[in-house]
Amino acid sequence: MNGPHDLGGMHGLGPIPIEENEPVFHSEWEAKVFAMSFATFINYFPVDETRHASEQMPPGDYLSSSYYERWLYALELLLTKHNLITPAEIEARITELSQSES
């Protein structure tokens, strides 16, 4: 493999910043993505398929995304790929949530 997800251990990329006393989740949405992903992945998708799904993210998006943004990408990809939810249903829920925050 030779993608953005395989950069670990390569020289010249600088140190990995370590946040002192870093929380497990930086915001509530990350905890929700973790819970939804864990519940879905454990019941429907093997670990190899979930990793492969996150690796389908375009390289520029992958490198600029947070850990849980990658989890969300994989979750949405697998749910739509396996016809458990449609892209339109995802978009409708995004719209609904964004209107409730206003």
Side-chain angles (χ1 to χ4, degrees):
M1 299 226 165
N2 194 19
H5 45 275
D6 294 311
L7 295 176
M10 292 183 73
H11 293 286
L13 295 177
I16 296 172
I18 297 174
E19 183 180 334
E20 192 173 328
N21 301 315
E22 180 175 13
V24 175
F25 305 108
H26 288 89
S27 61
E28 188 177 332
W29 75 266
E30 291 178 338
K32 290 178 181 181
V33 167
F34 176 81
M36 289 185 300
S37 297
F38 190 78
T40 306
F41 295 166
I42 201 166
N43 288 302
Y44 293 101
F45 315 118
V47 67
D48 292 341
E49 188 175 13
T50 60
R51 179 182 166 119
H52 180 69
S54 69
E55 293 172 353
Q56 300 307 301
M57 183 179 264
D61 294 340
Y62 188 93
L63 292 172
S64 64
S65 296
S66 70
Y67 183 72
Y68 289 107
E69 286 172 327
R70 294 176 191 146
W71 276 52
L72 180 58
Y73 179 89
L75 178 61
E76 290 179 357
L77 181 67
L78 290 171
L79 289 173
T80 56
K81 175 183 171 188
H82 290 277
N83 298 314
L84 297 170
I85 194 168
T86 67
E89 290 171 313
I90 293 171
E91 290 303 317
R93 184 66 174 147
I94 290 169
T95 300
E96 180 183 326
L97 290 172
S98 65
Q99 290 174 348
S100 69
E101 291 177 1
S102 305

